[in-house]
Amino acid sequence: MKTGWIGLGAMGAPMAGHLHAAGLLHGAWNRGAARRDAFADAYPDAAVAESPEALAEAVDVLALCVSADADLAAVLDRVADRLAPGTVVVDHSTVSPAAARSAHARLTQREVAFVDAPVTGGVEGAKNGQLAILVGGDAEAVQTLHPLFDAYGKVWKHLGPPGSGQAAKAVNQLIVAGIAEAVCEALALVEKLDLPADDMLELLGGGAAGNWFLDKRGRTMLADSFETGFEPALLLKDLKICRALADEAGLESTVLPGAIADYQRLVDGGETGRDISALIRLKR
Amino acid sequence: MKTGWIGLGAMGAPMAGHLHAAGLLHGAWNRGAARRDAFADAYPDAAVAESPEALAEAVDVLALCVSADADLAAVLDRVADRLAPGTVVVDHSTVSPAAARSAHARLTQREVAFVDAPVTGGVEGAKNGQLAILVGGDAEAVQTLHPLFDAYGKVWKHLGPPGSGQAAKAVNQLIVAGIAEAVCEALALVEKLDLPADDMLELLGGGAAGNWFLDKRGRTMLADSFETGFEPALLLKDLKICRALADEAGLESTVLPGAIADYQRLVDGGETGRDISALIRLKR
């Protein structure tokens, strides 16, 4: 199987790296040159493609890990006509279920399969190949992708028709945002009350408040470091997808309006660092 | 060391049971007779005390696990005059930091020590002796309590002067409530979107949304079972304590107003079951 990879960001680069280590990566490409160069430096024996068009013509599977609906559409504009019938496109970006269904419809016309497969587990999960993968699409195409999922996934599930993976990811992000709000407020309160930080991290993590975000980000937040992780602007994009889905489904959410307002304020203020834990700055 | 125990609820009974197993329990008492009888049935060779007054006169350490500020004050009204100088009272209830400081001041006048030591880890943590214990008080008195904490604690920390344990617990409950809100909404959305429940629990738990509450309550919530756990009315009480503390400390919380409104609505509606995961009923 020859796999191409488009999108070498904080998640995409280590994922493509795992694919390369598994001997499955034919070539990788990124829109911005800086990340192409960084990938070439990190994996000197991996091939960086000249263009997405060239990559699309050379592979059996094309994996994408870009940012938003518009980025997915822009990639498809460039590659759709170059993909041979029978090719499988798998998108690891987080986009709206509607964008995934639209991509599926567009490629199906060309006898190309499209699978939506957003991931969760953070940059840590991408680096150590321990991602959870949320998969929507046609069963036969999903079957083709097992070797890829094995390369960077800890657990993956085929959840239903096209768009199901993205719907599931929106649900995931609702939890991620709710936890981020609660933990950022709690640790701001720890600071304000002058409670001993290290002891509090151990106690909070050891009981019914325990969660991934506190475990992975608690210490860095309290050290005012927001260098590693998941960018606030991306979570904000995901939460707007989730709000649309919740509205459609008739869920009256308490969490989403507050989280969207807070992350909008954080992003507008500009002091976001590279991780959603920077929300603590609003709470101090 | 002869220890007395007052308060044999969902948390207190198994905690007193661990103390009994460690050979430290002189006697136990509960205001309501039903829970006294249930304790006697569960631990036939443990002694149930005739009254809190009798218990207070017989012990070196008196441990409390009641519900709210008023319950703590009511117990102290009965036992304060019966405790010998040098006795240590440890309160595992969740009450306001002010109530803990007031109890400390009241008992100090009688040369009795008072330590606030609320716990977290749920009924599971109480049953398997794996609680996290958040301790405030005078260092010498805290030192006396190590054998008790060893009997039912996984981790415990002395966080500062009287009231510090309760302040820390309020911080903990902010996270607990924020996570409960997010997980209940997310799982209601899983139902509305008809995503496969078992797969979703595994995926959500395996990535950046992972948390204790989802792990321990996800499956039962989706089965509409709310029999085991932490009563919504008690969380609501804790959140009101946390709100007062946050207001005092100057934290503008996004999480607390929504969570207090939701849990107030759940408690007012009466359909709470015995666990805070029943919040999903409001979100369906």
Side-chain angles (χ1 to χ4, degrees):
Chain A
M1 184 190 295
K2 288 163 72 176
T3 306
W5 192 278
I6 293 179
L8 299 168
M11 299 294 288
M15 289 168 75
H18 284 292
L19 217 52
H20 174 59
L24 297 169
L25 186 69
H26 178 76
W29 188 81
N30 187 79
R31 188 171 48 188
R35 283 180 165 162
R36 287 204 297 273
D37 295 346
F39 184 78
D41 287 348
Y43 306 94
D45 55 342
V48 172
E50 274 190 32
S51 69
E53 291 84 355
L55 196 56
E57 285 171 354
V59 297
D60 313 307
V61 171
L62 185 64
L64 316 179
C65 194
V66 297
S67 290
D69 287 19
D71 306 299
L72 171 60
V75 169
L76 293 186
D77 286 345
R78 294 185 67 167
V79 303
D81 293 346
R82 311 298 182 104
L83 295 162
T87 309
V88 177
V89 174
V90 56
D91 180 28
H92 291 302
S93 324
T94 297
V95 299
S96 66
R101 287 191 296 267
S102 155
H104 179 268
R106 176 177 182 175
L107 293 179
T108 297
Q109 291 182 330
R110 296 194 47 81
E111 293 172 57
V112 168
F114 179 86
V115 172
D116 52 302
V119 298
T120 176
V123 290
E124 290 87 345
K127 282 179 181 161
N128 61 22
Q130 295 288 303
L131 292 168
I133 312 177
L134 296 67
V135 186
D138 304 321
E140 199 184 336
V142 172
Q143 191 71 24
T144 311
L145 298 169
H146 290 203
L148 279 76
F149 296 164
D150 285 344
Y152 39 75
K154 174 177 64 174
V155 50
W156 62 270
K157 299 285 178 187
H158 183 202
L159 299 165
S164 303
Q166 297 298 350
K169 180 69 188 282
V171 170
N172 187 81
Q173 299 307 76
L174 196 167
I175 301 183
V176 166
I179 291 179
E181 285 280 343
V183 170
C184 289
E185 292 190 356
L187 294 190
L189 198 49
V190 163
E191 292 174 344
K192 285 173 191 288
L193 296 171
D194 213 17
L195 290 164
D198 286 345
D199 289 347
M200 285 302 293
L201 289 177
E202 193 175 340
L203 289 166
L204 296 171
N211 63 83
W212 185 98
F213 182 76
L214 179 72
D215 186 45
K216 304 291 185 199
R217 300 287 177 265
R219 203 163 297 280
T220 48
M221 288 163 67
L222 289 172
D224 206 35
S225 165
F226 310 103
E227 291 313 302
T228 297
F230 178 40
E231 288 184 29
L234 293 177
L235 179 60
L236 184 57
K237 162 191 71 89
D238 296 355
L239 293 179
K240 289 174 179 173
I241 292 170
C242 189
R243 179 173 58 187
L245 198 69
D247 286 350
E248 243 175 79
L251 172 76
E252 276 185 49
S253 172
T254 302
V255 173
L256 289 170
I260 289 173
D262 275 354
Y263 275 102
Q264 189 71 60
R265 196 149 68 92
L266 185 72
V267 168
D268 291 348
E271 287 294 311
T272 63
R274 291 184 189 156
D275 190 63
I276 62 170
S277 57
L279 181 65
I280 196 174
R281 288 176 162 168
L282 286 194
K283 307 290 183 179
R284 279 175 172 151
Chain B
M1 185 189 293
K2 287 163 73 177
T3 305
W5 192 279
I6 293 178
L8 298 169
M11 300 294 287
M15 291 168 74
H18 285 293
L19 218 52
H20 174 60
L24 296 169
L25 185 69
H26 177 76
W29 186 80
N30 187 79
R31 188 172 46 189
R35 282 180 166 163
R36 286 204 299 272
D37 295 345
F39 185 77
D41 287 347
Y43 305 95
D45 54 340
V48 173
E50 272 191 33
S51 69
E53 290 84 354
L55 196 56
E57 285 172 354
V59 297
D60 313 308
V61 171
L62 184 65
L64 316 179
C65 196
V66 298
S67 291
D69 288 19
D71 306 299
L72 171 60
V75 168
L76 293 186
D77 286 345
R78 295 185 66 168
V79 302
D81 292 347
R82 311 298 182 105
L83 295 162
T87 308
V88 178
V89 175
V90 55
D91 180 26
H92 290 304
S93 324
T94 298
V95 300
S96 66
R101 287 192 296 267
S102 156
H104 179 267
R106 176 177 182 175
L107 293 179
T108 298
Q109 290 182 329
R110 296 193 48 82
E111 293 172 56
V112 169
F114 179 86
V115 172
D116 52 301
V119 299
T120 176
V123 289
E124 290 87 345
K127 282 180 182 162
N128 61 22
Q130 295 288 302
L131 292 167
I133 312 177
L134 297 67
V135 186
D138 304 322
E140 199 185 334
V142 172
Q143 191 72 26
T144 312
L145 298 169
H146 291 204
L148 279 76
F149 296 165
D150 285 344
Y152 39 76
K154 174 176 66 177
V155 50
W156 62 270
K157 300 283 179 188
H158 183 202
L159 300 165
S164 302
Q166 297 297 350
K169 180 67 188 285
V171 170
N172 187 82
Q173 299 306 75
L174 196 167
I175 301 183
V176 165
I179 291 179
E181 284 279 344
V183 170
C184 288
E185 292 191 356
L187 295 190
L189 197 48
V190 163
E191 291 175 343
K192 286 173 189 289
L193 296 171
D194 212 16
L195 290 163
D198 285 346
D199 289 348
M200 287 300 294
L201 288 177
E202 192 175 341
L203 290 165
L204 296 171
N211 63 82
W212 184 97
F213 182 76
L214 179 72
D215 185 44
K216 304 290 186 200
R217 300 285 179 267
R219 201 163 299 278
T220 47
M221 287 163 66
L222 289 172
D224 205 35
S225 165
F226 310 104
E227 291 312 303
T228 297
F230 178 40
E231 287 184 29
L234 293 177
L235 179 61
L236 184 58
K237 162 191 70 88
D238 296 354
L239 293 179
K240 289 174 179 175
I241 291 171
C242 189
R243 179 173 59 188
L245 197 70
D247 285 351
E248 243 175 79
L251 172 76
E252 277 184 47
S253 172
T254 301
V255 173
L256 289 171
I260 289 173
D262 275 354
Y263 275 102
Q264 189 72 61
R265 196 150 66 92
L266 186 70
V267 168
D268 290 348
E271 288 295 309
T272 62
R274 290 185 189 155
D275 190 63
I276 61 171
S277 57
L279 182 64
I280 195 173
R281 289 176 162 168
L282 285 193
K283 308 289 182 178
R284 278 176 173 152

